[in-house]
Amino acid sequence: MNPLNLRASIANQVRQMTGGKGPPMAFLEPKGDPGLFGPQSMVWQVHAHFVPMLVGGLSSLLMQALHPLALAGVWDHSSFRQDLKARLGRTAFYIASTSYGGREMAMQSIHRVRHIHLAVIGTLPDGTPYRADDPVLLKWVHLGEVLSFLGAYQQFGAVPLASGQDDQYIQEMALLGELLGAEALPHHVSEANWMLQSYRSELVYDERTRSVVDLIENFPCRAIDAPVLKLIIAAAFHLLPEWALLMLGKTPASATEKLFVRHALKLVAKPIDWALDSEGVAAYSRKRVESIIC
């Protein structure tokens, strides 16, 4: 198989894991539009790498599941328990469109999610009310996502961000969180970690949380994807703060296990990054900004 066909084949396998269909042609337009962030941003650098993003996405779901009000929104108003892959696919498109899409595409995705949130209203079994557009809950979800994506990139990405670049990533992502309705978001990694821990008194491990953990640990996939997915799931747990891991009833992994998973995933990521370097969303978006017709 020649290199072009091999790249396309690997990229297609990656898209199948998240429910994507075909090359991301929509990201080629409008020419010259940098979107919300642009090619020089840390967002473009971090979000271009599939393996760390999948690790971070699953880890952030585990974190989100510890907050009963945040979990209730997806528990009562989505089909994620029946089709986790579809849920991840929708999240992946939202991240891709807001990170890499032209400004109109990005804002349309944000407005769509904000509109959906308006209808996500309900009560917990004990009668406690919740609403998905609550800035406090949006902030919790935002913190879990940005710290998980950043942490996964730093551990499993090819070239970690330098000192200061990690703060830049947090600052850039604050713009996205604020557009979605969150308030008073951090602009530094240390501040983000402090804010995340400030929610600990609100967190609960209950039957719903246990169901999410079981679902992620038994993520439905094709047999060919199972070995890699097992590593990714293990890495998602390794990425959690120790206090969150203990809340989930999990024993922290040994340093040897973490090192093995880290090196194994770095090897897995190499051919994927090679393929997506020309076939991924970031690559197509870069062509758009440079006004190159592929």
Side-chain angles (χ1 to χ4, degrees), residues 14-76:
V14 168
R15 284 190 285 267
Q16 286 187 25
M17 288 184 71
T18 55
K21 297 178 181 178
M25 303 300 292
F27 289 84
L28 291 172
E29 301 289 343
K31 292 180 176 60
D33 185 348
L36 296 179
F37 301 105
Q40 304 308 312
S41 67
M42 294 302 103
V43 166
W44 273 48
Q45 181 171 334
V46 171
H47 293 181
H49 301 274
F50 176 77
V51 169
M53 286 299 286
L54 188 50
V55 171
L58 290 177
S59 191
S60 70
L61 279 179
L62 290 167
M63 183 68 76
Q64 183 178 338
L66 284 169
H67 198 299
L69 298 179
L71 178 56
V74 294
W75 187 275
D76 296 338

Side-chain angles (χ1 to χ4, degrees), residues 4 15-16 47 56 67 106-107 112-113 124 128 155 222 225 243 258 276:
L4 288 177
R15 284 190 285 267
Q16 286 187 25
H47 293 181
H67 198 299
M107 295 307 298
R112 187 181 305 115
V113 171
L124 295 182
T128 303
Q155 288 194 34
R222 303 175 303 167
D225 297 326
W243 57 263
K258 289 182 178 179
L276 296 184

